[in-house]
Each structure stands twice: as C-alpha cells, then as structure tokens.
Amino acid sequence: MDEPPDEVRNWLCSFVYNDRSIAYVKIDDRLLVAGKGGRVEHYGLSSLRIGEPVAGQLAFIEGLLPYTDLPFHIPMVELPNGRVTDLHFFSDNACIWLLFLDATAEHNNKQRIQQKAYETTLLREREHQLNEQLESANEALRKSQEGLSREYQRSESLLLNILPASIAERLKTQEQIADNHAEVSVLFADIVRFTEKARSVGAETTLAILNSFFKAADLLSEVHGCEKIKTIGDCVMVVAGLPLSRPGHADALAQFALELRQAGADENFGGEPLKLRIGIHSGPIVAGVIGKRRFAYDLWGDTVNLAARIQTSAEPDEIRISDATHKLFGQEFACDLIPEMELRGAGRVQMWRLIA
Amino acid sequence: MLQKKICMLGGFAVGKTSLVRRFVQSIFSETYLTTVGVKIDKKSVVLSDKTVDLILWDLAGEDDIGSFRLSYVRGATGLVLVADGTRAATLTVALTLRERTEAEFGAMPFVLLLNKSDLADQWTISDDAINEMRQSGYQIYLTSALSGESVDDAFIQLASLVSK
C-alpha cells in the first residue's frame, strides 16, 4: 500500500487524536515511568510521576511487565475514572510505550447490544427452567394422584371386608347409621370345649382351626345370602335378612347352620371332629355402625340377646332354634321339639332342635 | 509492596461484577449490567503476616466460550471462578475457562464460587456434586453478592493462596 500523502496523514493523526484521545506513557528498562504525553488528563494520568516505578501507579500493569513479546494489545479496559481505553504495548529502544486509545463509545455501543442479548438469553433460560419445574410438578401430581386412587381402592376394599357393601356405601355419605329391621334371623355358633382344647393343641393349630372355621362361615354366608356380623373369640355371629330385608331368611340361616355344622365335622381339632354349638332366633333388631375411626357394624335388641342365650343352651353338635324361627320356615326341615325350658333373662322358652 | 493480579472468570450474568463490588465497595445492585471488556479494581487484603493488594480483573462473561480473550489473563497469579448456582450449566463454563487458562498459562491457584446462594428455591447444583468437587481438592464457596455471604472469605482465601 502506498503511504498516504502528508495532508491525509496529518488529518488522520489529528482525527484520531481528537476522536480517540491519544495519550502515551513511556516506561524505561528499570520499569520506571520515563515520560508521558498526549491527553493524559483524559485517562486520569495527570498525577503520574516521572522517574518512579510504574507498578503502584498503574494498577493494571501488575504482572504484565517486563514483557518481551511486544506489541501487545488489551482491548476495552475500563479505568477507575470511567473511561474505557484500548491499551497498546510496543517497544522502542529498550523502552516500552503504552498507548491509550479511547474506546468508550465503542464500549457503550457494544454494551447496549450485549445487554439486550444476555437479558433475552437469561429470560429464555429462566422460561426453560420454569417449564421443566412445571413438568416435574405435573409428573409428581400425577403420581400422587395414582397413589391416592390406589389408597382409595384399598380402603374401599377394606371397608367392604368389614361392612356389608350397602352399609359401606352409606357410611361414606352419612354420619350415623342406625336401622330398624322388623324381622331378621340371628345365629350364634361357637366351638365346643374350645379353651380347653386350644390349650392342648397349641396356639398355631388353634389359629389354623379358627381360621378355617371363620372362612367356612364367610363362604357359607356368601352362598346363602347371609352376613357375618362379627366373631368374638371362637364364636361367630351371622344374620340373614340384613341389610336388605328378604323373605326366607329363616330358611337361609337354617341351611347355613346345617352346612356350617357339616364343615366343622370335616375338620380335625385335637384328634376329633370340630363340634359346634349353634343357636338361632328370629325377630326385630336395630342395626347400625358404631365407631369413628374403626367401624363396626353391629346388631342390638332382645332378638340378639335371646339368640345368644339359645346358642349357649344348645348341646354339642346341636342346632337349637327358637319357636319364632321355626314358625318362619317355608321349607321342610326335620326338627324335634325340645321341652320348654327356662333361659336366663328370657323366662320359659319354646325351642326346637334342627336335625336336617 | 505486594501486588497480585487476579482474574474473575465465569459465564455471563453469574455475578462476577457484583461479587467484586460487594468485596471492594460492600454494595450490591439488583440491576443487571453486562460487562464489556474488562474492569479493573484494587483491594488491599490484610493477612496474618502481610498485606496484599489484589488487582481484580473483572472480565466480561461470555455466552460463547470460544470468544473468550485469553490475553486478559496474562500476568494473573490466581483465578476466581464464578458459577451461578441457579444455572447448573454455568459451572461447566467456569471449569472450562479454567482449563483453557491453565493450558495457556499453566496451573495457578483458584477458588470456585457458587454464587446466588440467596436464591435457595431456584438452586440447581446438587450437594453431591459440590461434595465430589470438594473431595477432589476444589476450594468451593457458596456465596451471595446480595447478602455478602462468604464473599470476603473466598477472596481472602485466594489472597493467601497467591501470596504464599
């Protein structure tokens, strides 16, 4: 490239001088400030002392000198007074020249553009992050909903195990359940000489016997449309005609009793068949759910009490039914009349022995 | 007079300028102002046996590591690596910048600052990751330029590392 003519060079020089505020600092080989010139005040260099070490006077020089690989350029250095300068290092006759060229305008321009760009990127990053959080929150919500519905199904099936389905359904919407039933049949059955035998066969066998006895009661209840209300020790309480009233509840419970007795006879409890003592009575009762956290569906009334009394009065292997139940039979059952006898709390009672 | 050049390295908007302002002037501004080029600050740190002047080079953070100007690091004796604890990717940026300076100028002491610890609910760097780095010898500080938490500790630690 041809050298520009002097006019152009002079113009260029004064243009750069005015527009970019040229200043210089000269540093000698002992790293002392050897001279300064140009618009030193523009860069806050007026107080720079000639003949003294540059270190301590120019903070940014730390670590950079002595430096052999010159020229060297550090762009856009913001000085303590707020000016931004490009720093050019070059050497001449064992001296280092430090040239200051103002870059404030360029800096500010670049800063405006970069500010916009970074703010946009930050916003986008944040949006991305929030979306991810939203997604993971949704996922967690979905999982907990699944867990909840599993729990609900579990408690639902537990409730159904404890309570008749129609009662369980009502319990979910109602505070209290207490129903009068004009006529149902109630059965009690327990195992003859249970306590004594349990002691001789041990806990494990006893539990196995109880389990198969109650399972048989559950199964037969389902077969005959009865409800097992509860077990008390070795005693089971079953009702027919509940929670929905039905005809033939006495027949159903009698059939239930006969089959339960047979199920017992097929079991082996301590070397002999499992013998039951069964009692049935029919009449009005009150049924309801008591308890707040642990529900119990139970029956109350004289009918229940008398059914229990009849059961305890029965002989081993005997199904003893009240006259009221006997009168309700629609089917043919073989029954023997038992001589009228006194039952505690009930006076003289007419009862029958159900045979087959 | 003991003077040491220290470079602040990290991605953009992680809080390098804010940490320097907190350390040097004890102030904090919520307004984000991006740094272009470099801003140089000076702060004397009094150690038990000496006083050292830290010349802090607050370098512009880049979103593109490729455009980082290594020439700014020339003459530095220590690094303050800064990552934004609410943006896990900035940790990689800080560590990569260190690798690049080490390849050019050799190993030098550094501290790693996981900044914005005040934004606990947006934090994305796991304790496990932090512990793992600590076990491999990194000196890590969970800092907040907003509250000032651990800021002085981190700079003073680096000052003592570079003036050994």
Side-chain angles (χ1 to χ4, degrees), chain A residues 167-183:
Chain A
I167 296 296
E169 206 48 52
R170 281 169 60 195
L171 194 64
K172 279 185 264 172
T173 56
Q174 241 170 292
E175 263 298 288
Q176 256 196 337
I177 295 177
D179 299 326
N180 284 300
H181 292 270
E183 200 176 72

Side-chain angles (χ1 to χ4, degrees), chain A residues 55-56 58-64 67 69 72-80 84 107 110-112 114-115 118-119 121-122 125-126 129 133, chain B residues 1 3-5 12-13 32-40 42 55 57 60-64 69 71-72 74-76 86-88 121-122 124:
Chain A
L58 292 176
F60 60 80
I61 216 80
E62 173 58 38
L64 292 175
Y67 188 64
D69 191 11
F72 176 58
H73 166 223
I74 306 177
M76 290 198 192
V77 178
E78 189 178 330
L79 296 171
V84 180
H107 171 273
K110 198 173 169 192
Q111 189 175 43
R112 261 197 305 278
Q114 186 172 302
Q115 179 86 21
Y118 285 178
E119 276 174 355
T121 312
L122 278 176
E125 274 182 18
R126 185 81 188 118
Q129 214 172 31
Q133 276 172 15
Chain B
M1 181 182 52
Q3 276 198 148
K4 295 290 178 184
K5 173 174 174 179
F12 72 94
Y32 170 54
L33 185 64
T34 184
T35 304
V36 169
V38 59
K39 187 168 184 326
I40 295 162
K42 184 170 156 181
I55 312 298
W57 284 52
E62 305 285 348
D63 61 348
D64 169 20
R69 278 177 187 273
S71 61
Y72 285 122
R74 192 178 299 279
T86 70
R87 291 151 65 216
D121 59 328
Q122 294 172 32
T124 55

Side-chain angles (χ1 to χ4, degrees), chain A residues 89-100:
Chain A
F89 294 74
F90 50 94
S91 61
D92 178 53
N93 291 333
C95 283
I96 291 159
W97 292 77
L98 193 47
L99 186 68
F100 292 74

Side-chain angles (χ1 to χ4, degrees), chain A residues 10 14 28 34 50 82 89 108 112 191 194 239 267 293 306:
Chain A
N10 289 342
S14 77
D28 68 18
I50 311 288
F89 294 74
N108 292 349
R112 261 197 305 278
I191 298 169
F194 173 78
V239 66
E267 285 287 332
R293 293 186 52 201
L306 186 53

Side-chain angles (χ1 to χ4, degrees), chain B residues 110 131-140:
Chain B
F110 68 93
N131 287 334
E132 206 173 292
M133 288 190 293
R134 278 198 173 125
Q135 256 152 32
S136 60
Y138 286 35
Q139 309 220 18
I140 298 176

